[in-house]
Amino acid sequence: MAGIVCRTASRIISSQASCSSSVVAVRHSHWFTSMLSLKTSVPLRAEPKKRKKVDPRRELMVKERLKKKLKKLEKVPPEMIPIEDFIKSAKGFDETRVREAPDLCFEESERRALLLKEWSRFKRSQHQTEMHEIQEALEAQRQALEELKLESEELYKAAVSPDTDIFPFQHDGPCYTPPLTNYEAPEGKYNDITRVYTQ
Amino acid sequence: MAAPFTRVYRPFWRIITTTKSNRGVRNVSYTSQQWSAQNVKTAGAASPWALHGAVCVQRLPVVTQDRSPIEEEFMELMQKMEFERSLLADHELKLLDDAALMSRKQEGDYDSDEEDDYRDKDIVTAQDLEDIWEQKLKDFQPALRSQGNDQKDASSSERCLADSLILLVKKDVGSQKLWLLPQIQWQMGETLRQTAERALASLPGADLKATFLGNAPCGFYKYKYPKDIQKEGSVGAKVFFFKAVLSSHKHLPLEKNSFAWVKKDELQDFLKPEYLKQVRRFIMAL
């Protein structure tokens, strides 16, 4: 290996010495390559080299500008979820749906007014009885607790302490008809059209 | 000083009993509670009242009450007024359109191609829909609101579905048999609410599940024993009532002569007047 290198080096030097005069004359012209340099064609050499520093910086600048634009867009506050119940539907303002106003005779309007007054009196007496019953019950409880206190302090304290097990309390309220025994409700198919909003 | 029955010395404001008193009257038992000096109860000054815990079990109404005449009238008026002030619904508009279409079809020069929206003859009209719905309603048979056994069987819990019912038991008190709310004597070491729960559980033949509404009693009744029974140290008894709501619906039928489910206005037929006076205060029949 070393011998080959020496031989090529000696050959180059001898050749260089022989054609040195001609080589000097053409060295400064780009059309004639020197024997020493690589055999490169002209177009390959004429290509502009990639400038490594400025382009990455340019790309970074472009990316930063895009990011800033995105941030500006994102800064807009998110759209509020509308409350369906508060939106007045267009059907309410439809004029084709207006019902004709009824024609009330004098007796009918009188009867209605008197019935409303009767109802307010009825409701007032109902409320009074309810309040009275509640007061009675509270008074009975208060007296019971007083008696219990006279009896035994410990039992009184146990009675007055809060009950943690009562909640959650569930009870099915009264319906119009009592529940049927062994009744299987028919399965109903339905399309759920509730709108789901995401933020 | 510590009470005479404690063996171990404790500061006088803290009493811990290790022995149960054998005296017939109830004695207070504590589990290391702090006491102020004035409230110390010693074995000697025991109360002469025997304590009982009782339970007022209510079967709440299953069915809504019937309306009174004025309520009926007012309900009708409200429905009429609401109807008069309302707008036409989609269904009603459809009905009107169908009616108009029918009247146009009946005319001589009817051309179905002139309709705005050409409709097939197979489409169901709004009137047909109404008929279908009415038919479906008729096919369903709901249970009757009143079973009809209101007056006869006082021991069934299915009577008077529109009112809340209270459970009464017939018990031997001294020499008499009286109708009472289920009660049982208090034992040491339990709270009065536990006594009431025990009273409910110990009813013979009844498997009732109830939710007790709180730790506090809702009412009380005290009575003195007749003179011949009064021993020294026991003057009478105090009964503390606790409210409970019946949770399960279906029960085994109870014995007719010893159990009764009664409304508030029927209570006077069963209970003694003094007892009734106290019990009525906390039972609300709204």
Side-chain angles (χ1 to χ4, degrees), chain A residues 18-197:
Chain A
S18 60
C19 57
S20 60
S21 56
S22 57
V23 164
V24 166
V26 300
R27 201 180 291 170
H28 299 291
S29 160
H30 62 273
W31 292 113
F32 297 101
T33 57
S34 60
M35 292 297 168
L36 302 171
S37 63
L38 289 168
K39 297 251 187 228
T40 53
S41 60
V42 172
L44 191 60
R45 281 179 291 121
E47 195 183 297
K49 281 190 189 166
K50 284 184 188 170
R51 303 169 94 188
K52 284 180 188 171
K53 273 190 186 173
V54 184
D55 281 333
R57 227 191 288 163
R58 254 194 228 162
E59 281 176 18
L60 276 173
M61 291 294 288
V62 167
K63 277 185 197 170
E64 272 172 39
R65 263 180 256 144
L66 284 173
K67 275 185 198 170
K68 276 186 188 173
K69 278 186 190 170
L70 270 173
K71 273 186 193 173
K72 273 191 189 171
L73 286 172
E74 275 171 14
K75 265 190 185 176
V76 171
E79 210 180 282
M80 310 275 260
I81 298 176
I83 302 173
E84 302 268 339
D85 296 334
F86 290 177
I87 304 169
K88 297 183 193 176
S89 75
K91 287 185 186 176
F93 300 103
D94 196 357
E95 279 171 3
T96 57
R97 290 173 184 254
V98 173
R99 226 182 271 273
E100 311 120 15
D103 221 14
L104 290 179
C105 57
F106 174 72
E107 285 95 16
E108 178 62 24
S109 57
E110 275 292 300
R111 184 194 77 95
R112 285 188 179 186
L114 289 170
L115 183 56
L116 288 168
K117 294 190 181 183
E118 187 67 43
W119 176 253
S120 77
R121 267 176 251 138
F122 170 75
K123 269 306 204 185
R124 179 173 173 272
S125 66
Q126 206 184 48
H127 182 253
Q128 276 186 331
T129 39
E130 275 181 23
M131 286 293 121
H132 181 73
E133 282 197 28
I134 291 171
Q135 289 294 329
E136 273 285 308
L138 284 175
E139 182 62 28
Q141 192 179 52
R142 191 190 62 82
Q143 282 177 0
L145 284 171
E146 243 178 50
E147 288 285 321
L148 188 55
K149 198 166 185 181
L150 289 175
E151 282 292 307
S152 129
E153 199 56 47
E154 183 202 79
L155 288 177
Y156 173 77
K157 281 198 177 158
V160 162
S161 62
D163 181 16
T164 47
D165 296 327
I166 189 172
F167 294 115
F169 177 70
Q170 208 184 33
H171 175 74
D172 295 328
C175 304
Y176 189 67
T177 52
L180 285 168
T181 49
N182 306 326
Y183 176 69
E184 284 177 28
E187 266 195 38
K189 284 182 278 185
Y190 58 91
N191 296 327
D192 199 2
I193 54 167
T194 43
R195 293 189 190 172
V196 177
Y197 296 95

